[in-house]
Amino acid sequence: MLRSTWRGLPAKRHEAGWEPGLVAPAADGSPLVTDHYFPRAEGDFPTLLIRSPYGRGLPWSPMYGLLFAEQGFHVVLQSCRGTGGSGGAFDLWRHEAADGLATVSWLRGQPWFDGTLGTVGPSYLGYVQWALALEPPPELKAMVVQVGLHDPHALFHAGGALHLETALAVAATMTYQHQGMAAFLRATLRLQRRLGAATTAQPLRGAYVSALGGQVPWLDDVMSYPDAEDAYWRGASTAESAERLRVPTALIGGWHDVLVDQTFGQYERLRRAGCETSLLVGPWTHTSALQQGWPEVFAESLAWLRAHLCDDPGGLRPTAVRVHVGGEDAWRNLDDWPATPAATSWYPAPGGHLVRQAPTDRAPLTSFRYDPADPTPSVGGPLLSRTAGPRDNGTLEARDDVLTFTGPPLTEPVDVLGPVSARLSVSSDTGHADVFTRLCDVDAQGRSVNVCDGLGRLRAAANAPSEITVPMSSTAHRFAVGRRIRWQISGGAHPRYARGSGTGEPTVDATTLTPVRITVHTDSALMLPLGGPG
């Protein structure tokens, strides 16, 4: 079935066996239900530990259990505490470090465990790897973090805004996927039907219950504590594990993945620590990396694990970094990331133009009215839904509350390789505003497609010009000859981000919606890291 779904998977080396329903004790003694996949062959084989809150059935059993066992690995697929039949209560992130170490202790008593351990997995399965790496056991010899999480706060909050649609999607997945695919599908369809009501309610607090089919206590907490310094988030981020890690670690991300910025943060920390690492970034969303991208993701993961667990480095590529370049639909091997350390400035100009010449003043340029009762909708980008990724922005850009500044048709290709940002000089008549900023590629027919974006929050005196810098994620994108570079600015992207109320009230408790007039000043700048041909 797997080989008919994905072309390019390697031929299996062994038949795979399955030993389901084993029990490993958690740190507090709670039973953690564990399935063991293994190659049906004589000899010693390294072990892969995969700990998941999403269950042990589809897609984890075939994609991770069977495929890796066929390639010559013992695979331990375990349900996290409080999920998939395991005992105890699931509490987002709080038990993973201790339960991971307890599981390794259990592994040491298994007759088939030869003392060589690796980890692999996506999303929260990446988080449990970083949690184990906080105090890495001596047996841990390699990690593969695929579209992985290390900072829960950053997943749910950015620039002061709540990632509302992502929070609801994560809650549905965490609550239902480990109950089986049928339960998860029903929950997903219910969330789609009721998303509008859940994201426009006043107040937002508790409004998700009908959309998710019940209360999710950890989601209430996540939505209630937007400040990363709040005690609630203490110990949530495992970023420090990468700052001193010596375990060879491969990182895999997608340009439209909700966690791609965390992947780049992981890479930067590992390189700074001198840890052996590699980075692969494809043209994927969070989910498509494990769907359309699975042949590349699996091959990258397998090569890294064989090199560091089996002393077989033949499959490794010659460079540390490999990225897919949008606009030319090609892959490039790079020595490091970011490929271009410096950024160039592009400025908004009268008439909706985008120019390279710096302005001579910081005068008001243009303004628009953002009405939270009719919030600017989100279109594409890094989401957890089917609408994620690059999308036609034409309908969005036709709205009165969306500004666009567009450069002339290019006479030679322009490569953007690295982190993109906006330095915005803005003011608002209430002093409270969100500013969403996006880089787009416009073709010869005028079709505008999103490349990368970000959101920042303005808090200032009414009508007072303020400068805010908005990170817009990173990209590897070629703007081809004849294309135009477009900078899009608006007051939000709902329901991807919870809408700003215009009053400064806390997001989950706001009951008053006040329209805001946002003014963009001439000294604003779009910062693009330009690179040469690769």
Side-chain angles (χ1 to χ4, degrees), residues 32 49-53 78 80-81 96 99-100 103 124-125 128:
L32 302 178
L49 174 60
I50 303 169
R51 304 190 57 251
S52 170
Q78 180 182 86
C80 293
R81 189 188 299 200
E96 308 308 348
D99 287 354
T103 301
Y124 195 85
L125 284 68
V128 300

Side-chain angles (χ1 to χ4, degrees), residues 147 251-257 260 263-264 267 278-284 297 300 317 320-326 330-332 337 474-476:
V147 290
L251 303 173
I252 299 172
W255 291 120
H256 295 277
D257 173 27
V260 69
T263 298
F264 286 120
Y267 178 78
S278 71
L279 175 66
L280 176 75
V281 188
W284 309 310
V297 171
E300 178 88 359
R317 61 172 182 270
V321 178
R322 182 171 171 82
V323 298
H324 183 273
V325 181
W331 291 88
R332 291 193 201 177
W337 186 267
S474 295
T475 191

Side-chain angles (χ1 to χ4, degrees), residues 307-394:
H308 296 93
L309 301 182
C310 308
D311 195 24
D312 178 12
L316 294 179
R317 61 172 182 270
T319 61
V321 178
R322 182 171 171 82
V323 298
H324 183 273
V325 181
E328 68 172 359
D329 192 22
W331 291 88
R332 291 193 201 177
N333 292 327
L334 304 170
D335 292 330
D336 204 358
W337 186 267
T340 308
T344 61
S345 299
W346 301 61
Y347 302 96
H353 297 292
L354 187 66
V355 300
R356 298 294 303 274
Q357 183 176 355
T360 57
D361 57 30
R362 62 177 307 180
L365 174 64
T366 187
S367 66
F368 63 94
R369 181 178 183 269
Y370 175 80
D371 184 357
D374 179 25
T376 315
S378 56
V379 174
L383 300 168
L384 294 176
S385 68
R386 294 172 298 174
T387 60
R391 291 288 183 268
D392 187 341
N393 280 234

Side-chain angles (χ1 to χ4, degrees), residues 49-358:
L49 174 60
I50 303 169
R51 304 190 57 251
S52 170
Y54 307 124
R56 303 180 314 284
L58 294 173
W60 316 108
S61 173
M63 290 175 65
Y64 289 86
L66 289 175
L67 275 185
F68 281 103
E70 289 176 352
Q71 296 301 319
F73 297 90
H74 290 281
V75 181
V76 174
L77 181 54
Q78 180 182 86
S79 287
C80 293
R81 189 188 299 200
T83 71
S86 290
F90 179 74
D91 196 348
L92 189 70
W93 86 72
R94 298 185 189 276
H95 303 301
E96 308 308 348
D99 287 354
L101 288 173
T103 301
V104 175
S105 180
W106 172 81
L107 278 174
R108 294 179 183 127
Q110 305 311 303
W112 38 264
F113 182 61
D114 72 348
T116 302
L117 179 66
T119 59
V120 61
S123 197
Y124 195 85
L125 284 68
Y127 183 83
V128 300
Q129 296 182 66
W130 292 118
L132 182 65
L134 286 168
E135 297 181 32
E139 296 89 347
L140 184 61
K141 305 300 182 185
M143 295 167 49
V144 179
V145 180
Q146 306 161 331
V147 290
L149 170 74
H150 73 262
D151 185 352
H153 176 270
L155 172 62
F156 297 117
H157 300 274
L162 171 65
H163 289 194
L164 181 56
E165 188 173 357
T166 292
L168 296 176
V170 170
T173 302
M174 289 288 195
T175 304
Y176 292 100
Q177 192 173 35
H178 70 93
Q179 299 179 23
M181 290 306 293
F184 178 54
L185 180 59
R186 288 194 298 270
T188 300
L189 293 174
R190 178 176 56 224
L191 177 58
Q192 289 175 357
R193 290 194 306 268
R194 302 180 182 179
L195 183 65
T199 57
T200 56
Q202 296 175 255
L204 276 177
R205 186 183 298 277
Y208 69 82
V209 171
S210 64
L212 294 180
Q215 200 86 13
V216 182
W218 66 259
L219 179 60
D220 289 317
D221 292 337
V222 159
M223 295 176 67
S224 298
Y225 297 106
D227 187 352
E229 301 303 316
D230 193 279
Y232 172 77
W233 297 105
R234 190 171 300 133
S237 174
T238 56
E240 65 178 276
S241 60
E243 294 174 355
R244 58 176 185 273
L245 195 63
R246 291 293 180 267
V247 177
T249 301
L251 303 173
I252 299 172
W255 291 120
H256 295 277
D257 173 27
V258 295
L259 295 171
V260 69
D261 292 331
Q262 298 205 29
T263 298
F264 286 120
Q266 294 157 11
Y267 178 78
E268 181 182 355
R269 291 183 183 92
L270 290 170
R271 293 286 277 181
R272 198 164 54 235
C275 183
E276 183 181 356
T277 185
S278 71
L279 175 66
L280 176 75
V281 188
W284 309 310
T285 67
H286 190 70
T287 54
S288 72
L290 305 184
Q291 297 168 353
Q292 295 92 327
W294 182 242
E296 289 90 352
V297 171
F298 182 71
E300 178 88 359
S301 304
L302 182 61
W304 190 261
L305 293 168
R306 279 187 177 152
H308 296 93
L309 301 182
C310 308
D311 195 24
D312 178 12
L316 294 179
R317 61 172 182 270
T319 61
V321 178
R322 182 171 171 82
V323 298
H324 183 273
V325 181
E328 68 172 359
D329 192 22
W331 291 88
R332 291 193 201 177
N333 292 327
L334 304 170
D335 292 330
D336 204 358
W337 186 267
T340 308
T344 61
S345 299
W346 301 61
Y347 302 96
H353 297 292
L354 187 66
V355 300
R356 298 294 303 274
Q357 183 176 355

